[in-house]
């Protein structure tokens, strides 16, 4: 609130209103904690409480709770995107190219029965029924930023486990250098499979060390529930330091190879979508800048665009994977 003072006749805020009392008290407690040396622990537990308080179950689908993740960088403290935004503004070209299409059309996706075939250069090729895949490791909640190549981003609480857990299980051979991710392409249940926008199925790929990185998530759920169809049910990939299109939805096949996989977007426009696709504010897309992003849910005339961070803010965790590489060439 603004008040008028006697002295100069100008309007000033009342100081007690600049810092609301509760915040002030919290700060004073924090200062005391710091003095006692307990601030680190105090902050950590405050932070995890914050993160988990943000992610109350929306109550729309079957519950899929996740344990707190210990993986470094797995929980960002940024405000989580609302469930409605995260499930109504999607890219899933099998169901249409408009952002609203997947939410409208993906009810036809048949997610049960479902299996994922793991094959190629591995000692133990295995066909995993979804139920077995779900039980392969502890489900964790990870709050990741997802930055789309088109210049928008979201913060989503995913539920899943590191893809590395599955990879260890099938024992890759020494000559396995890449992993190819092949997604469902069923024209009967996916109305846009067959359209000429992409060469179906939608395929993605990672280098072996990227696939083994603990942040690479095999996700079965979000917001404490199983994945909605439009977000890639029943199982998808989430690679938080890469542009969103690397995170293939509705996976049916994971293949270990000795060659860089031909990915769907690279086949469609090689000069625009490279194999690596690491989030990089210094390398523009040929048709637009990648330096800033719009956070979904923060729209409005005056909402400021955010500066995009190198590797989407995961540089400390993944930068080493690209040491010595020219990221302008390997975009
Ligand atoms: N996976 C499949 N099978 N088909 C797609 O069209 N789109 C990608 C990726 N995975 C896509 C896909 C793109 S461009 C993005 S940005 C993310 O999914 C979007 O994920 P979200 O809708 O859950 O936010």
């Amino acid at each position: 609130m603004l008040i008028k003072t006697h002295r100069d006749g100008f309007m000033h805020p009342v100081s007690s209103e600049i810092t609301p009392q509760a915040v002030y008290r919290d700060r004073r407690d924090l200062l005391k904690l710091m003095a006692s040396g307990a601030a680190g622990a105090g902050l950590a537990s405050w932070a995890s409480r914050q993160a988990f308080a943000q992610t109350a179950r929306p109550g729309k689908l079957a519950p899929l709770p996740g344990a707190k993740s210990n993986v470094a960088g797995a929980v960002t403290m940024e405000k989580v995107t609302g469930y409605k935004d995260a499930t109504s503004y999607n890219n899933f070209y099998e169901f249409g190219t408009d952002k609203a299409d997947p939410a409208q059309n993906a009810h036809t996706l048949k997610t049960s029965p479902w299996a994922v075939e793991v094959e190629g250069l591995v000692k133990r090729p295995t066909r995993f029924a979804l139920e077995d895949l779900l039980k392969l490791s502890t489900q964790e909640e990870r709050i990741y930023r997802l930055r789309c190549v088109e210049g928008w981003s979201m913060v989503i609480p995913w539920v899943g486990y590191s893809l590395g857990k599955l990879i260890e299980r099938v024992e890759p051979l020494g000559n396995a250098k890449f992993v190819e991710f092949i997604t469902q392409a069923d024209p009967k249940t996916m109305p846009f499979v067959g359209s000429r926008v992409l060469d179906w199925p939608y395929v993605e790929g990672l280098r072996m060390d990227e696939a083994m990185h603990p942040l690479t998530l095999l996700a079965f759920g979000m917001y404490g529930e199983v994945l909605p169809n439009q977000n890639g049910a029943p199982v998808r990939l989430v690679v938080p330091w890469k542009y969103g299109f690397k995170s293939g939805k509705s996976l049916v096949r994971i293949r270990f190879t000795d060659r860089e996989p031909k990915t769907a977007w690279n086949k469609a426009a090689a000069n625009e979508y490279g194999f690596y696709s690491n989030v990089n504010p210094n390398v523009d897309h040929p048709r637009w800048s990648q330096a800033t992003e719009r956070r979904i849910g923060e729209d409005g005339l005056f909402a400021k665009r955010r500066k995009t961070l190198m590797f989407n803010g995961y540089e400390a965790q993944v930068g080493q994977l690209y040491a010595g590489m020219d990221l302008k060439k390997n975009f």
Side-chain angles (χ1 to χ4, degrees):
M1 198 218 278
L2 297 170
I3 57 156
K4 208 168 184 178
T5 60
H6 294 298
R7 206 159 33 87
D8 48 26
F10 286 110
M11 311 287 257
H12 290 290
V14 182
S15 68
S16 66
E17 297 201 69
I18 299 172
T19 310
Q21 263 205 1
V23 174
Y24 172 73
R25 234 184 293 120
D26 273 3
R27 240 183 251 160
R28 207 178 43 188
D29 292 348
L30 191 60
L31 287 173
K32 269 197 214 150
L33 268 176
M34 279 174 157
S36 73
L43 270 177
S45 79
W46 173 84
S48 62
R49 258 186 289 126
Q50 272 296 99
F52 280 80
Q54 288 178 355
T55 61
R57 240 196 96 199
K60 305 239 184 244
L61 298 168
L64 185 67
K68 213 160 61 175
S69 180
N70 291 324
V71 170
V75 177
T76 171
M77 289 304 136
E78 283 174 77
K79 188 167 177 280
V80 164
T81 300
Y83 184 82
K84 190 149 191 298
D85 284 321
T87 55
S88 59
Y89 190 91
N90 301 103
N91 275 333
F92 200 170
Y93 276 25
E94 289 83 338
F95 296 100
T97 55
D98 195 87
K99 297 284 177 275
D101 286 344
Q104 229 154 59
N105 301 332
H107 59 91
T108 55
L109 176 67
K110 195 167 168 280
T111 58
S112 171
W114 194 276
V116 178
E117 196 82 54
V118 186
E119 60 185 30
L121 302 175
V122 291
K123 200 163 155 201
R124 302 179 193 285
T126 311
R127 180 182 168 86
F128 289 92
L130 182 72
E131 296 69 29
D132 298 331
L133 205 55
L134 269 160
K135 287 185 283 192
L136 201 68
S137 185
T138 313
Q139 298 286 341
E140 296 179 2
E141 180 168 79
R142 310 237 184 127
I143 305 180
Y144 284 169
R145 284 176 287 269
L146 183 105
R147 164 62 156 88
C148 186
V149 73
E150 298 155 336
W152 49 267
S153 63
M154 298 194 194
V155 176
I156 297 185
W158 302 103
V159 183
Y161 54 76
S162 295
L163 177 70
K165 302 279 181 194
L166 169 62
I167 297 180
E168 281 164 15
R169 182 62 73 100
V170 294
E171 299 183 43
L173 302 176
N175 54 345
K177 299 280 182 270
F178 294 92
V179 190
E180 188 175 7
F181 301 91
I182 298 142
T183 72
Q184 174 79 311
D186 174 19
K188 287 203 248 31
T189 54
M190 300 171 128
F192 280 73
V193 165
S195 74
R196 288 173 38 191
V197 55
L198 286 174
D199 189 7
W200 310 100
Y202 190 100
V203 171
E204 258 310 330
L206 293 174
R207 216 169 55 187
M208 195 66 181
D209 56 346
E210 298 176 323
M212 283 299 291
H213 193 283
L215 282 175
T216 300
L217 186 70
L218 195 61
F220 302 86
M222 56 196 261
Y223 298 82
E225 299 184 351
V226 298
L227 288 171
N229 287 359
Q230 60 268 37
N231 292 84
V235 55
R236 70 174 290 174
L237 207 64
V238 188
V239 192
W241 71 94
K242 292 180 179 277
Y243 290 116
F245 67 89
K246 297 297 284 181
S247 297
K249 294 177 170 182
S250 307
L251 296 172
V252 290
R253 203 174 284 274
I254 299 178
R255 185 184 292 146
F256 291 76
T257 78
D258 53 0
R259 272 181 222 161
E260 194 179 279
K262 292 255 171 275
T263 65
W265 280 107
N266 187 250
K267 277 198 268 180
N271 63 325
E272 302 193 5
Y273 308 105
F275 177 76
Y276 284 93
S277 301
N278 290 318
V279 174
N280 188 339
N282 310 316
V283 177
D284 290 342
H285 183 279
R287 290 183 282 140
W288 57 79
S289 160
Q290 293 289 23
T292 64
E293 67 201 56
R294 178 173 68 90
R295 185 62 51 86
I296 298 300
E298 289 181 353
D299 317 83
L301 221 48
F302 303 107
K304 269 212 245 137
R305 289 180 71 88
R306 293 160 180 262
K307 279 202 167 129
T308 290
L309 302 173
M310 188 67 200
F311 296 113
N312 202 23
Y314 300 94
E315 185 168 18
Q317 290 81 28
V318 303
Q320 201 48 39
L321 297 178
Y322 310 101
M325 275 177 72
D326 181 345
L327 297 180
K328 285 207 158 76
K329 275 199 198 127
N330 298 288
F331 62 91

